[in-house]
Amino acid sequence: MAEFGGDSVCLDVETIYLGGKEHIVRTASGSVSVIVYGDRDKPALITYPDLALNHVSCFQGLFFCPDAAALLLHNFCVYHISPPGHELGAAAISDDHPVPSVDDLADQILEVLNNFRLGAVMCMGAMAGAYVLTLFAMKYRERVLGLILVSPLCKAPSWTEWLCNKVMSNLLYYYGMCGLLKECLLYRYFSQEVRGSADVPESDIVEACRRLLDERQSTNVLRFLEAIERRPDITNGLKTLKRRTLIFVGDNSPFHSESLHMIAKLDKKYSALVEVQDCGSMVTEDQPQAMLTSLEYFLMGYGLYRPSYFCGSPRSPLSPTCISPELFSPESMGLKLKPIKTRLSSQR
């Protein structure tokens, strides 16, 4: 067992996992699984998935897209953080452990960063995970370089979401990961076109997600759902966030209007919105190729490029002191911010 500084966090277990290493990090609010890919001397990119998902079911499509993988894995060491009990093979969390709040989840991220002795990091989150990372950025701004958010949440649950959450809570409590619950979650993640219908079969990514949902512990999913259900509105803090933020949202996402609300509240000098046509919430799985161009322009602002364009060391520094000041301008993202609202359409 390897330990790092701090009283509440230590590295407990390391196992080889799909090309990365799994680290079980003990925090004040319980243990967290972190899968680490790449050279730890590179800048850090942390990810945080949505409800009932982990990095395999939420981000694998993006990281398996060759051009995106070349861009991200060339420049970053990736730390995939799972919500408590959402990692593959997780046991049910005991009822003796209190349900964490969203503040607890944000504080866990800080403990993970301290555990790995990371400084400021790039953050990528989807839906509920995007909310947790945004809250983390508000609380610990100096530890965040930028935010890449997919169909993010920022308000307290609407009546529609509250009702859907209550249905899912009851299903989880009484029936576990049943068929109806999986349909509710798939509606949250994917558009109708991808989910299929009586006449059109569901896509391969939906079938794969359905199988991965079978592996979730219903009690652990319920705990994360209860935390997200009690989340406060963080809109008022968005204007002062002052961290470059790139938002992706599918135009068929249930959280489309919330993403529009969020981009309207962020400082226009630091934020950009990309709407992806014919896509649900989980752009990373549904249309990851539609994210590539915007990601490239966004990361150029930090002096980062794909290998084909980049001739220097792959260990590109992310320290603002190493970047020309003009690269922090909105125009450096390659998109005109008023705020940015780019609609991308990709062929299936």
Side-chain angles (χ1 to χ4, degrees):
M1 179 175 70
E3 295 191 8
F4 294 87
D7 296 331
S8 62
V9 187
C10 71
L11 185 64
D12 186 53
V13 172
E14 294 185 2
T15 55
I16 301 299
Y17 179 72
L18 296 178
K21 280 188 178 180
E22 181 179 27
H23 301 252
I24 304 300
V25 180
R26 294 177 180 172
T27 77
S29 301
S31 296
V32 180
S33 171
V34 184
I35 306 290
V36 181
Y37 289 89
D39 183 351
R40 286 173 58 177
D41 289 334
K42 292 183 181 181
L45 167 68
I46 66 170
T47 72
Y48 207 99
D50 188 37
L51 177 71
L53 301 177
N54 55 34
H55 76 285
V56 174
S57 46
C58 193
F59 299 108
Q60 183 170 267
L62 177 63
F63 282 90
F64 276 20
C65 181
D67 289 335
L71 175 66
L72 297 173
L73 298 179
H74 176 73
N75 289 294
F76 294 102
C77 180
V78 182
Y79 297 76
H80 291 298
I81 304 174
S82 291
H86 279 53
E87 66 274 15
L88 289 174
I93 299 174
S94 170
D95 292 337
D96 296 336
H97 292 85
V99 175
S101 66
V102 286
D103 277 291
D104 293 331
L105 297 176
D107 292 342
Q108 276 189 332
I109 295 172
L110 178 66
E111 294 184 79
V112 168
L113 266 56
N114 290 342
N115 184 70
F116 290 104
R117 297 178 179 174
L118 300 176
V121 300
M122 187 67 68
C123 300
M124 179 186 292
M127 292 92 94
Y131 177 95
V132 173
L133 289 178
T134 304
L135 179 60
F136 169 73
M138 290 179 174
K139 296 182 69 172
Y140 306 105
R141 190 181 309 172
E142 72 283 357
R143 305 300 291 272
V144 174
L145 290 161
L147 292 161
I148 302 166
L149 306 177
V150 180
S151 305
L153 312 178
C154 65
K155 298 189 290 185
S158 64
W159 282 109
T160 302
E161 186 191 348
W162 176 86
L163 180 59
C164 185
N165 289 346
K166 285 299 181 186
V167 171
M168 290 196 294
S169 295
N170 287 330
L171 290 172
L172 282 164
Y173 185 82
Y174 290 107
Y175 302 104
M177 191 60 69
C178 62
L180 181 56
L181 175 66
K182 283 187 280 189
E183 293 304 319
C184 292
L185 290 169
L186 292 172
Y187 169 81
R188 177 185 177 98
Y189 306 149
F190 299 109
S191 66
Q192 179 65 59
E193 182 179 357
V194 175
R195 297 198 312 275
S197 62
D199 300 320
V200 179
E202 64 185 21
S203 70
D204 292 341
I205 59 172
V206 174
E207 288 183 5
C209 186
R210 190 186 297 275
R211 289 193 299 270
L212 289 167
L213 287 174
D214 284 331
E215 301 175 6
R216 296 284 78 77
Q217 293 282 353
S218 57
T219 54
N220 299 350
V221 176
L222 179 58
R223 289 166 63 87
F224 190 23
L225 177 58
E226 289 175 350
I228 294 302
E229 193 175 33
R230 299 197 303 264
R231 70 182 187 268
D233 190 321
I234 56 175
T235 298
N236 290 339
L238 294 176
K239 187 66 72 174
T240 58
L241 183 57
K242 306 298 184 186
R243 286 293 179 269
R244 294 182 65 206
T245 303
L246 178 61
I247 295 177
F248 294 94
V249 64
D251 60 2
N252 292 325
S253 168
F255 306 113
H256 181 261
S257 62
E258 185 137 354
S259 298
L260 298 183
H261 171 81
M262 185 172 185
I263 196 68
K265 298 301 180 181
L266 286 164
D267 191 317
K268 294 177 176 60
K269 294 185 296 183
Y270 296 93
S271 57
L273 172 69
V274 179
E275 294 178 84
V276 183
Q277 291 181 335
D278 304 320
C279 188
S281 299
M282 207 148 59
V283 185
T284 49
E285 292 296 311
D286 192 347
Q287 296 193 38
Q289 69 280 2
M291 301 175 65
L292 180 62
T293 300
S294 299
L295 280 174
E296 283 195 282
Y297 282 123
F298 182 74
L299 294 178
M300 280 180 190
Y302 297 93
L304 302 176
Y305 304 86
R306 272 199 290 170
S308 57
Y309 305 146
F310 185 67
C311 300
S313 166
R315 298 180 183 182
S316 306
L318 280 176
S319 170
T321 60
C322 301
I323 303 171
S324 302
E326 59 269 19
L327 289 178
F328 286 104
S329 67
E331 291 76 12
S332 73
M333 301 179 73
L335 302 166
K336 296 180 180 179
L337 301 180
K338 296 186 179 179
I340 298 172
K341 185 178 180 181
T342 304
R343 300 187 71 89
L344 300 178
S345 180
S346 61
Q347 295 181 350
R348 295 188 177 276

mmCIF file of all heavy atoms in Angstrom, residues 2-44:
data_model
loop_
_atom_site.group_PDB
_atom_site.id
_atom_site.type_symbol
_atom_site.label_atom_id
_atom_site.label_comp_id
_atom_site.label_asym_id
_atom_site.label_seq_id
_atom_site.Cartn_x
_atom_site.Cartn_y
_atom_site.Cartn_z
ATOM 1 N N ALA A 2 0.649 2.137 -0.953
ATOM 2 C CA ALA A 2 1.411 3.379 -1.010
ATOM 3 C C ALA A 2 0.602 4.501 -0.412
ATOM 4 O O ALA A 2 -0.595 4.602 -0.646
ATOM 5 C CB ALA A 2 1.758 3.694 -2.469
ATOM 6 N N GLU A 3 1.240 5.363 0.359
ATOM 7 C CA GLU A 3 0.537 6.461 1.010
ATOM 8 C C GLU A 3 1.122 7.787 0.566
ATOM 9 O O GLU A 3 2.306 7.910 0.260
ATOM 10 C CB GLU A 3 0.640 6.343 2.536
ATOM 11 C CG GLU A 3 -0.069 5.117 3.085
ATOM 12 C CD GLU A 3 -0.185 5.161 4.592
ATOM 13 O OE1 GLU A 3 0.152 6.195 5.172
ATOM 14 O OE2 GLU A 3 -0.625 4.167 5.175
ATOM 15 N N PHE A 4 0.266 8.798 0.565
ATOM 16 C CA PHE A 4 0.672 10.155 0.273
ATOM 17 C C PHE A 4 0.320 11.018 1.475
ATOM 18 O O PHE A 4 -0.351 10.587 2.398
ATOM 19 C CB PHE A 4 -0.050 10.679 -0.984
ATOM 20 C CG PHE A 4 0.349 9.949 -2.219
ATOM 21 C CD1 PHE A 4 -0.295 8.782 -2.597
ATOM 22 C CD2 PHE A 4 1.387 10.405 -2.998
ATOM 23 C CE1 PHE A 4 0.073 8.104 -3.736
ATOM 24 C CE2 PHE A 4 1.761 9.730 -4.140
ATOM 25 C CZ PHE A 4 1.106 8.585 -4.519
ATOM 26 N N GLY A 5 0.745 12.282 1.414
ATOM 27 C CA GLY A 5 0.504 13.172 2.540
ATOM 28 C C GLY A 5 -0.963 13.398 2.787
ATOM 29 O O GLY A 5 -1.797 13.352 1.894
ATOM 30 N N GLY A 6 -1.323 13.684 4.030
ATOM 31 C CA GLY A 6 -2.708 13.948 4.396
ATOM 32 C C GLY A 6 -3.238 12.897 5.326
ATOM 33 O O GLY A 6 -2.850 11.739 5.266
ATOM 34 N N ASP A 7 -4.153 13.290 6.208
ATOM 35 C CA ASP A 7 -4.664 12.366 7.202
ATOM 36 C C ASP A 7 -5.791 11.490 6.680
ATOM 37 O O ASP A 7 -5.974 10.372 7.126
ATOM 38 C CB ASP A 7 -5.167 13.144 8.425
ATOM 39 C CG ASP A 7 -4.042 13.881 9.136
ATOM 40 O OD1 ASP A 7 -2.901 13.381 9.055
ATOM 41 O OD2 ASP A 7 -4.314 14.918 9.729
ATOM 42 N N SER A 8 -6.571 12.022 5.731
ATOM 43 C CA SER A 8 -7.801 11.322 5.373
ATOM 44 C C SER A 8 -7.706 10.546 4.071
ATOM 45 O O SER A 8 -8.633 9.864 3.698
ATOM 46 C CB SER A 8 -8.957 12.332 5.267
ATOM 47 O OG SER A 8 -8.704 13.264 4.243
ATOM 48 N N VAL A 9 -6.611 10.666 3.332
ATOM 49 C CA VAL A 9 -6.534 10.060 2.022
ATOM 50 C C VAL A 9 -5.291 9.193 1.911
ATOM 51 O O VAL A 9 -4.212 9.589 2.299
ATOM 52 C CB VAL A 9 -6.467 11.145 0.921
ATOM 53 C CG1 VAL A 9 -6.562 10.496 -0.443
ATOM 54 C CG2 VAL A 9 -7.565 12.151 1.106
ATOM 55 N N CYS A 10 -5.442 7.998 1.389
ATOM 56 C CA CYS A 10 -4.277 7.175 1.078
ATOM 57 C C CYS A 10 -4.603 6.282 -0.093
ATOM 58 O O CYS A 10 -5.757 6.038 -0.409
ATOM 59 C CB CYS A 10 -3.830 6.349 2.276
ATOM 60 S SG CYS A 10 -4.945 5.012 2.706
ATOM 61 N N LEU A 11 -3.558 5.835 -0.764
ATOM 62 C CA LEU A 11 -3.722 4.915 -1.875
ATOM 63 C C LEU A 11 -3.785 3.512 -1.314
ATOM 64 O O LEU A 11 -2.857 3.041 -0.686
ATOM 65 C CB LEU A 11 -2.540 5.064 -2.834
ATOM 66 C CG LEU A 11 -2.625 4.252 -4.112
ATOM 67 C CD1 LEU A 11 -3.804 4.726 -4.938
ATOM 68 C CD2 LEU A 11 -1.339 4.420 -4.911
ATOM 69 N N ASP A 12 -4.887 2.843 -1.539
ATOM 70 C CA ASP A 12 -5.144 1.572 -0.865
ATOM 71 C C ASP A 12 -4.841 0.375 -1.750
ATOM 72 O O ASP A 12 -4.284 -0.612 -1.307
ATOM 73 C CB ASP A 12 -6.601 1.549 -0.400
ATOM 74 C CG ASP A 12 -6.912 0.328 0.439
ATOM 75 O OD1 ASP A 12 -6.202 0.083 1.423
ATOM 76 O OD2 ASP A 12 -7.871 -0.379 0.097
ATOM 77 N N VAL A 13 -5.252 0.443 -3.020
ATOM 78 C CA VAL A 13 -5.130 -0.713 -3.911
ATOM 79 C C VAL A 13 -4.772 -0.221 -5.300
ATOM 80 O O VAL A 13 -5.229 0.819 -5.736
ATOM 81 C CB VAL A 13 -6.471 -1.502 -3.976
ATOM 82 C CG1 VAL A 13 -6.396 -2.583 -5.043
ATOM 83 C CG2 VAL A 13 -6.792 -2.132 -2.632
ATOM 84 N N GLU A 14 -3.934 -0.977 -5.993
ATOM 85 C CA GLU A 14 -3.667 -0.716 -7.404
ATOM 86 C C GLU A 14 -3.857 -2.025 -8.167
ATOM 87 O O GLU A 14 -3.297 -3.041 -7.805
ATOM 88 C CB GLU A 14 -2.241 -0.214 -7.626
ATOM 89 C CG GLU A 14 -1.954 1.151 -7.029
ATOM 90 C CD GLU A 14 -0.556 1.638 -7.392
ATOM 91 O OE1 GLU A 14 0.133 0.910 -8.136
ATOM 92 O OE2 GLU A 14 -0.178 2.712 -6.927
ATOM 93 N N THR A 15 -4.696 -1.977 -9.186
ATOM 94 C CA THR A 15 -4.851 -3.156 -10.038
ATOM 95 C C THR A 15 -4.815 -2.710 -11.483
ATOM 96 O O THR A 15 -5.289 -1.634 -11.828
ATOM 97 C CB THR A 15 -6.178 -3.881 -9.765
ATOM 98 O OG1 THR A 15 -7.259 -2.945 -9.920
ATOM 99 C CG2 THR A 15 -6.215 -4.472 -8.375
ATOM 100 N N ILE A 16 -4.235 -3.530 -12.338
ATOM 101 C CA ILE A 16 -4.226 -3.217 -13.759
ATOM 102 C C ILE A 16 -5.642 -3.365 -14.290
ATOM 103 O O ILE A 16 -6.309 -4.354 -14.050
ATOM 104 C CB ILE A 16 -3.284 -4.169 -14.505
ATOM 105 C CG1 ILE A 16 -1.867 -4.054 -13.935
ATOM 106 C CG2 ILE A 16 -3.295 -3.892 -15.993
ATOM 107 C CD1 ILE A 16 -1.264 -2.677 -14.065
ATOM 108 N N TYR A 17 -6.123 -2.351 -15.035
ATOM 109 C CA TYR A 17 -7.515 -2.359 -15.483
ATOM 110 C C TYR A 17 -7.617 -1.739 -16.867
ATOM 111 O O TYR A 17 -7.510 -0.525 -17.017
ATOM 112 C CB TYR A 17 -8.369 -1.580 -14.492
ATOM 113 C CG TYR A 17 -9.829 -1.505 -14.866
ATOM 114 C CD1 TYR A 17 -10.644 -2.617 -14.772
ATOM 115 C CD2 TYR A 17 -10.369 -0.328 -15.343
ATOM 116 C CE1 TYR A 17 -11.966 -2.553 -15.124
ATOM 117 C CE2 TYR A 17 -11.701 -0.259 -15.702
ATOM 118 C CZ TYR A 17 -12.485 -1.378 -15.590
ATOM 119 O OH TYR A 17 -13.810 -1.320 -15.957
ATOM 120 N N LEU A 18 -7.823 -2.575 -17.895
ATOM 121 C CA LEU A 18 -8.035 -2.113 -19.263
ATOM 122 C C LEU A 18 -6.992 -1.098 -19.698
ATOM 123 O O LEU A 18 -7.298 -0.067 -20.285
ATOM 124 C CB LEU A 18 -9.448 -1.499 -19.399
ATOM 125 C CG LEU A 18 -10.623 -2.450 -19.191
ATOM 126 C CD1 LEU A 18 -11.922 -1.697 -19.314
ATOM 127 C CD2 LEU A 18 -10.587 -3.613 -20.174
ATOM 128 N N GLY A 19 -5.736 -1.375 -19.423
ATOM 129 C CA GLY A 19 -4.676 -0.474 -19.834
ATOM 130 C C GLY A 19 -4.381 0.622 -18.836
ATOM 131 O O GLY A 19 -3.399 1.339 -18.983
ATOM 132 N N GLY A 20 -5.196 0.786 -17.823
ATOM 133 C CA GLY A 20 -4.949 1.776 -16.786
ATOM 134 C C GLY A 20 -4.806 1.098 -15.444
ATOM 135 O O GLY A 20 -4.902 -0.134 -15.337
ATOM 136 N N LYS A 21 -4.566 1.891 -14.432
ATOM 137 C CA LYS A 21 -4.477 1.358 -13.083
ATOM 138 C C LYS A 21 -5.640 1.871 -12.246
ATOM 139 O O LYS A 21 -5.952 3.064 -12.277
ATOM 140 C CB LYS A 21 -3.163 1.786 -12.419
ATOM 141 C CG LYS A 21 -1.955 0.963 -12.822
ATOM 142 C CD LYS A 21 -0.754 1.335 -11.959
ATOM 143 C CE LYS A 21 0.460 0.482 -12.303
ATOM 144 N NZ LYS A 21 1.635 0.844 -11.467
ATOM 145 N N GLU A 22 -6.252 0.966 -11.494
ATOM 146 C CA GLU A 22 -7.304 1.380 -10.580
ATOM 147 C C GLU A 22 -6.687 1.658 -9.213
ATOM 148 O O GLU A 22 -5.948 0.841 -8.662
ATOM 149 C CB GLU A 22 -8.395 0.313 -10.449
ATOM 150 C CG GLU A 22 -9.505 0.780 -9.495
ATOM 151 C CD GLU A 22 -10.624 -0.236 -9.351
ATOM 152 O OE1 GLU A 22 -10.343 -1.439 -9.532
ATOM 153 O OE2 GLU A 22 -11.751 0.170 -9.050
ATOM 154 N N HIS A 23 -7.007 2.814 -8.683
ATOM 155 C CA HIS A 23 -6.562 3.212 -7.351
ATOM 156 C C HIS A 23 -7.810 3.414 -6.500
ATOM 157 O O HIS A 23 -8.732 4.126 -6.910
ATOM 158 C CB HIS A 23 -5.775 4.526 -7.401
ATOM 159 C CG HIS A 23 -4.562 4.475 -8.283
ATOM 160 N ND1 HIS A 23 -3.285 4.460 -7.795
ATOM 161 C CD2 HIS A 23 -4.447 4.443 -9.637
ATOM 162 C CE1 HIS A 23 -2.421 4.429 -8.791
ATOM 163 N NE2 HIS A 23 -3.112 4.415 -9.929
ATOM 164 N N ILE A 24 -7.867 2.790 -5.358
ATOM 165 C CA ILE A 24 -8.959 3.021 -4.423
ATOM 166 C C ILE A 24 -8.468 4.049 -3.406
ATOM 167 O O ILE A 24 -7.553 3.782 -2.632
ATOM 168 C CB ILE A 24 -9.396 1.728 -3.712
ATOM 169 C CG1 ILE A 24 -9.770 0.661 -4.752
ATOM 170 C CG2 ILE A 24 -10.568 2.007 -2.774
ATOM 171 C CD1 ILE A 24 -10.903 1.053 -5.673
ATOM 172 N N VAL A 25 -9.050 5.233 -3.459
ATOM 173 C CA VAL A 25 -8.613 6.351 -2.634
ATOM 174 C C VAL A 25 -9.587 6.534 -1.476
ATOM 175 O O VAL A 25 -10.787 6.695 -1.688
ATOM 176 C CB VAL A 25 -8.525 7.647 -3.472
ATOM 177 C CG1 VAL A 25 -8.074 8.816 -2.609
ATOM 178 C CG2 VAL A 25 -7.587 7.454 -4.650
ATOM 179 N N ARG A 26 -9.081 6.478 -0.285
ATOM 180 C CA ARG A 26 -9.911 6.695 0.892
ATOM 181 C C ARG A 26 -10.050 8.188 1.174
ATOM 182 O O ARG A 26 -9.066 8.907 1.228
ATOM 183 C CB ARG A 26 -9.293 5.997 2.107
ATOM 184 C CG ARG A 26 -9.268 4.477 1.992
ATOM 185 C CD ARG A 26 -8.579 3.866 3.182
ATOM 186 N NE ARG A 26 -8.537 2.414 3.095
ATOM 187 C CZ ARG A 26 -7.861 1.644 3.936
ATOM 188 N NH1 ARG A 26 -7.176 2.210 4.933
ATOM 189 N NH2 ARG A 26 -7.862 0.337 3.794
ATOM 190 N N THR A 27 -11.289 8.627 1.327
ATOM 191 C CA THR A 27 -11.555 10.031 1.634
ATOM 192 C C THR A 27 -12.422 10.118 2.880
ATOM 193 O O THR A 27 -12.906 9.102 3.395
ATOM 194 C CB THR A 27 -12.286 10.724 0.462
ATOM 195 O OG1 THR A 27 -13.668 10.334 0.462
ATOM 196 C CG2 THR A 27 -11.670 10.357 -0.881
ATOM 197 N N ALA A 28 -12.629 11.331 3.344
ATOM 198 C CA ALA A 28 -13.442 11.539 4.545
ATOM 199 C C ALA A 28 -14.875 11.085 4.341
ATOM 200 O O ALA A 28 -15.583 10.796 5.304
ATOM 201 C CB ALA A 28 -13.404 13.008 4.941
ATOM 202 N N SER A 29 -15.334 11.006 3.083
ATOM 203 C CA SER A 29 -16.719 10.611 2.787
ATOM 204 C C SER A 29 -16.798 9.215 2.193
ATOM 205 O O SER A 29 -17.819 8.863 1.599
ATOM 206 C CB SER A 29 -17.361 11.621 1.826
ATOM 207 O OG SER A 29 -17.365 12.919 2.381
ATOM 208 N N GLY A 30 -15.750 8.416 2.346
ATOM 209 C CA GLY A 30 -15.761 7.059 1.826
ATOM 210 C C GLY A 30 -14.726 6.861 0.740
ATOM 211 O O GLY A 30 -14.028 7.790 0.330
ATOM 212 N N SER A 31 -14.624 5.635 0.250
ATOM 213 C CA SER A 31 -13.632 5.288 -0.759
ATOM 214 C C SER A 31 -14.122 5.647 -2.158
ATOM 215 O O SER A 31 -15.312 5.572 -2.453
ATOM 216 C CB SER A 31 -13.309 3.798 -0.686
ATOM 217 O OG SER A 31 -12.708 3.476 0.555
ATOM 218 N N VAL A 32 -13.172 6.012 -3.015
ATOM 219 C CA VAL A 32 -13.467 6.385 -4.393
ATOM 220 C C VAL A 32 -12.515 5.640 -5.314
ATOM 221 O O VAL A 32 -11.312 5.557 -5.045
ATOM 222 C CB VAL A 32 -13.295 7.911 -4.603
ATOM 223 C CG1 VAL A 32 -13.608 8.290 -6.040
ATOM 224 C CG2 VAL A 32 -14.177 8.695 -3.661
ATOM 225 N N SER A 33 -13.055 5.096 -6.410
ATOM 226 C CA SER A 33 -12.240 4.436 -7.418
ATOM 227 C C SER A 33 -11.771 5.460 -8.450
ATOM 228 O O SER A 33 -12.568 6.248 -8.968
ATOM 229 C CB SER A 33 -13.038 3.331 -8.112
ATOM 230 O OG SER A 33 -12.334 2.829 -9.232
ATOM 231 N N VAL A 34 -10.476 5.428 -8.743
ATOM 232 C CA VAL A 34 -9.893 6.304 -9.757
ATOM 233 C C VAL A 34 -9.085 5.435 -10.718
ATOM 234 O O VAL A 34 -8.165 4.738 -10.293
ATOM 235 C CB VAL A 34 -8.977 7.377 -9.132
ATOM 236 C CG1 VAL A 34 -8.473 8.337 -10.216
ATOM 237 C CG2 VAL A 34 -9.701 8.147 -8.036
ATOM 238 N N ILE A 35 -9.449 5.461 -11.996
ATOM 239 C CA ILE A 35 -8.692 4.748 -13.022
ATOM 240 C C ILE A 35 -7.752 5.745 -13.687
ATOM 241 O O ILE A 35 -8.192 6.777 -14.190
ATOM 242 C CB ILE A 35 -9.611 4.126 -14.087
ATOM 243 C CG1 ILE A 35 -10.684 3.250 -13.445
ATOM 244 C CG2 ILE A 35 -8.797 3.343 -15.105
ATOM 245 C CD1 ILE A 35 -10.166 1.976 -12.832
ATOM 246 N N VAL A 36 -6.459 5.436 -13.674
ATOM 247 C CA VAL A 36 -5.449 6.364 -14.190
ATOM 248 C C VAL A 36 -4.868 5.798 -15.483
ATOM 249 O O VAL A 36 -4.391 4.664 -15.518
ATOM 250 C CB VAL A 36 -4.325 6.597 -13.160
ATOM 251 C CG1 VAL A 36 -3.303 7.598 -13.709
ATOM 252 C CG2 VAL A 36 -4.898 7.096 -11.833
ATOM 253 N N TYR A 37 -4.948 6.602 -16.556
ATOM 254 C CA TYR A 37 -4.390 6.239 -17.846
ATOM 255 C C TYR A 37 -3.287 7.220 -18.212
ATOM 256 O O TYR A 37 -3.503 8.436 -18.166
ATOM 257 C CB TYR A 37 -5.454 6.313 -18.951
ATOM 258 C CG TYR A 37 -6.501 5.238 -18.896
ATOM 259 C CD1 TYR A 37 -7.655 5.413 -18.152
ATOM 260 C CD2 TYR A 37 -6.351 4.061 -19.616
ATOM 261 C CE1 TYR A 37 -8.635 4.438 -18.108
ATOM 262 C CE2 TYR A 37 -7.333 3.081 -19.584
ATOM 263 C CZ TYR A 37 -8.468 3.284 -18.833
ATOM 264 O OH TYR A 37 -9.430 2.314 -18.795
ATOM 265 N N GLY A 38 -2.145 6.714 -18.615
ATOM 266 C CA GLY A 38 -1.131 7.581 -19.190
ATOM 267 C C GLY A 38 0.007 7.916 -18.253
ATOM 268 O O GLY A 38 0.123 7.395 -17.142
ATOM 269 N N ASP A 39 0.836 8.804 -18.729
ATOM 270 C CA ASP A 39 2.057 9.235 -18.048
ATOM 271 C C ASP A 39 1.711 10.274 -16.999
ATOM 272 O O ASP A 39 1.225 11.358 -17.328
ATOM 273 C CB ASP A 39 3.011 9.816 -19.101
ATOM 274 C CG ASP A 39 4.350 10.247 -18.526
ATOM 275 O OD1 ASP A 39 4.493 10.263 -17.286
ATOM 276 O OD2 ASP A 39 5.248 10.580 -19.327
ATOM 277 N N ARG A 40 1.971 9.969 -15.753
ATOM 278 C CA ARG A 40 1.586 10.880 -14.678
ATOM 279 C C ARG A 40 2.454 12.132 -14.611
ATOM 280 O O ARG A 40 2.193 13.032 -13.813
ATOM 281 C CB ARG A 40 1.581 10.137 -13.345
ATOM 282 C CG ARG A 40 0.379 9.205 -13.221
ATOM 283 C CD ARG A 40 0.412 8.318 -12.010
ATOM 284 N NE ARG A 40 0.481 9.058 -10.768
ATOM 285 C CZ ARG A 40 0.465 8.491 -9.559
ATOM 286 N NH1 ARG A 40 0.374 7.164 -9.473
ATOM 287 N NH2 ARG A 40 0.529 9.218 -8.479
ATOM 288 N N ASP A 41 3.474 12.229 -15.460
ATOM 289 C CA ASP A 41 4.224 13.483 -15.577
ATOM 290 C C ASP A 41 3.509 14.498 -16.462
ATOM 291 O O ASP A 41 3.878 15.672 -16.485
ATOM 292 C CB ASP A 41 5.623 13.219 -16.149
ATOM 293 C CG ASP A 41 6.529 12.513 -15.156
ATOM 294 O OD1 ASP A 41 6.296 12.671 -13.934
ATOM 295 O OD2 ASP A 41 7.455 11.806 -15.585
ATOM 296 N N LYS A 42 2.504 14.034 -17.198
ATOM 297 C CA LYS A 42 1.738 14.949 -18.050
ATOM 298 C C LYS A 42 0.703 15.702 -17.220
ATOM 299 O O LYS A 42 0.367 15.305 -16.112
ATOM 300 C CB LYS A 42 1.020 14.158 -19.155
ATOM 301 C CG LYS A 42 1.943 13.545 -20.193
ATOM 302 C CD LYS A 42 1.118 12.844 -21.268
ATOM 303 C CE LYS A 42 2.012 12.205 -22.314
ATOM 304 N NZ LYS A 42 1.217 11.537 -23.380
ATOM 305 N N PRO A 43 0.169 16.807 -17.772
ATOM 306 C CA PRO A 43 -0.942 17.496 -17.100
ATOM 307 C C PRO A 43 -2.115 16.550 -16.877
ATOM 308 O O PRO A 43 -2.285 15.571 -17.609
ATOM 309 C CB PRO A 43 -1.316 18.614 -18.075
ATOM 310 C CG PRO A 43 -0.090 18.820 -18.898
ATOM 311 C CD PRO A 43 0.571 17.479 -19.018
ATOM 312 N N ALA A 44 -2.917 16.839 -15.875
ATOM 313 C CA ALA A 44 -4.012 15.944 -15.486
ATOM 314 C C ALA A 44 -5.343 16.399 -16.071
ATOM 315 O O ALA A 44 -5.681 17.577 -16.044
ATOM 316 C CB ALA A 44 -4.111 15.876 -13.967
#
